[in-house]
Amino acid sequence: MSDPLKLGATIGILGGGQLGRMLAVAAARLGFRTHIFEPGANPPAADVAHAATTAGYDDVAALKAFANAVDVVTYEFENIPTAALDAIESIRPIHPNREALRTSQDRLTEKTFLQGLGLRVAPFADITTTSDLEAALETIGTPSILKTRRFGYDGKGQSRLRSAADAQTALADMAGNPAVLEGFVNFTSEVSVIAARNPSGEIACFDPGENVHRDGILHTTTVPASISAALRTDAVLLAAKILNALDYVGVLGVELFVTPQGFIVNEIAPRVHNSGHWTQNGCTVDQFEQHIRAIAGWPLGDGSRHADVIMENLIGDDMNRVPELAKQNDTALHLYGKAEVKPGRKMGHVNFIKR
Ligand code: AMP
């Protein structure tokens, strides 16, 4: 194992949104500095970081200057262009590693990888042309979902097929981008497990949370999830299997469908995850600190859950509820400092502690 990052070292974070912001706060608590790299103006993470670079992911000179100014690089979102990663990696290590990014950036690669580990995924097929889709519909059938292989998030880049008659519209929705067709999973609930691994191979998992989406965006995460003890163990084992297979360093989010036959893995996110925000008030060490500990080569912290929590995202006009929420007991507000409220924009979240 490499030496732990020394105190006062600087962690570079690609992406300046709320996840970067909460990572920067956790890093500061452990005595590290952070430097944010973000193309957009006024990134929420820059408010709480030591330094920020505003430049595009195609600006090789800016990327190299950023890499030279930091000791290690991590990221808050997975859709970073490969060329940008190459420029950085020639100078500083990136955690989680390139293989984790490559695997999770493409739904086809991701599903193939998960299946190769012996994990269950929805039936899927690679789709580029109309004839691919027609052939896949013969085996997978409907209902099913066509998803772009890359750059999808919060349900974007997806089209549902109720019958084969929807094929042409669904394909048009992909706008010529390569896609995968997925069989529709009749799940009883959706859960996610947030897990961490450090360079020594130590693994820590948070308790699985149960997720409810609204309009394709995460609405609430509830812990404990209403799943059996056996499934709880399965969630931990499968997360550990994925972490080890990727020789992963950092925090990983695994989204799962619960079915009467057990879990089906929906997708993995090589980063801290919205469904892990409950850990901020439900655990001794939360997902953000756990990620910083892992990439700094520290021992992982105690992620055991000491409270029941409901995390609710504050989206758009939900911000109007803040004055009332601020008066409530057992309620922890986490606001992202975004200047402009927009419909569908994640503005903050609230953790309701249940005793
Ligand atoms: P994703 O972007 O893949 O996480 O999908 C967003 C949401 O769409 C998921 O959280 C599910 O609620 C739903 N969904 C995605 N894929 C499937 C599937 N194969 N079967 C049923 N529901 C799905």
Side-chain angles (χ1 to χ4, degrees):
M1 179 187 140
S2 53
D3 287 338
L5 205 59
K6 59 185 185 314
L7 290 181
T10 302
I11 297 171
I13 302 177
L14 297 167
Q18 62 268 16
L19 300 179
R21 177 179 171 105
M22 293 182 276
L23 283 169
V25 169
R29 240 178 16 229
L30 295 185
F32 297 115
R33 290 177 166 185
T34 48
H35 184 146
I36 307 298
F37 189 101
E38 161 67 45
N42 305 319
D47 288 349
V48 296
H50 178 68
T53 298
T54 305
Y57 288 115
D58 54 357
D59 186 338
V60 174
L63 287 163
K64 291 198 163 173
F66 164 76
N68 276 311
V70 304
D71 297 285
V72 61
V73 174
T74 190
Y75 46 89
E76 61 141 31
F77 81 124
E78 55 271 43
N79 290 323
I80 307 152
T82 304
L85 297 165
D86 288 340
I88 292 168
E89 209 170 35
S90 64
I91 300 168
R92 291 290 178 265
I94 302 177
H95 297 306
N97 63 31
R98 294 292 292 276
E99 188 56 15
L101 267 171
R102 195 185 69 80
T103 306
S104 60
Q105 277 180 340
D106 182 325
R107 289 187 193 274
L108 184 67
T109 315
E110 181 180 74
K111 285 200 160 30
T112 310
F113 161 75
L114 293 166
Q115 208 171 38
L117 288 181
L119 303 176
R120 288 178 63 215
V121 294
F124 66 97
D126 182 12
I127 308 291
T128 314
T129 62
T130 307
S131 58
D132 292 340
L133 185 53
E134 282 166 1
L137 282 169
E138 293 283 313
T139 52
I140 294 175
T142 54
S144 45
I145 309 185
L146 194 62
K147 301 180 179 179
T148 51
R149 279 174 57 176
R150 296 172 64 90
F151 305 124
Y153 69 98
D154 286 345
K156 293 190 172 58
Q158 301 194 4
S159 189
R160 296 201 177 195
L161 289 90
R162 273 158 217 86
S163 74
D166 294 334
Q168 278 316 321
T169 330
L171 203 57
D173 284 349
M174 300 298 109
N177 293 305
V180 285
L181 183 72
E182 271 185 44
F184 195 83
V185 177
N186 268 323
F187 54 79
T188 46
S189 64
E190 291 186 80
V191 303
S192 54
V193 56
I194 311 296
R197 185 175 180 275
N198 72 5
S200 312
E202 197 187 345
I203 286 177
C205 273
F206 293 104
D207 207 4
E210 187 162 333
N211 300 323
V212 173
H213 295 86
R214 252 192 210 170
D215 303 326
I217 303 177
L218 183 66
H219 174 49
T220 56
T221 301
T222 301
V223 280
S226 53
I227 54 173
S228 66
L231 277 187
R232 221 171 280 280
T233 308
D234 273 1
V236 171
L237 292 176
L238 73 83
K241 205 170 195 178
I242 296 169
L243 289 169
N244 284 330
L246 293 170
D247 193 19
Y248 196 92
V249 170
V251 161
L252 172 90
V254 186
E255 295 182 22
L256 302 163
F257 296 134
V258 182
T259 75
Q261 291 75 40
F263 286 131
I264 290 182
V265 185
N266 175 26
E267 62 181 5
I268 58 175
R271 52 171 168 78
V272 287
H273 199 259
N274 194 168
S275 68
H277 291 358
W278 67 269
T279 60
Q280 291 173 306
N281 302 99
C283 301
T284 307
V285 168
D286 68 21
Q287 63 163 348
F288 301 100
E289 177 173 336
Q290 204 68 299
H291 185 76
I292 299 296
R293 280 173 172 256
I295 64 167
W298 280 31
L300 295 178
D302 174 7
S304 56
R305 186 172 60 79
H306 56 63
D308 293 1
V309 186
I310 298 175
M311 186 288 307
E312 182 183 345
N313 271 332
L314 299 176
I315 294 175
D317 286 341
D318 285 340
M319 283 302 278
N320 297 334
R321 292 166 47 203
V322 166
E324 276 309 310
L325 290 167
K327 291 182 202 160
Q328 288 181 19
N329 286 337
D330 292 336
T331 298
L333 274 169
H334 298 264
L335 304 180
Y336 307 151
K338 295 182 183 175
E340 205 186 335
V341 178
K342 288 188 206 157
R345 190 173 202 204
K346 290 177 180 170
M347 303 300 298
H349 65 272
V350 57
N351 284 330
F352 300 104
I353 310 300
K354 303 285 160 195
R355 289 181 212 275

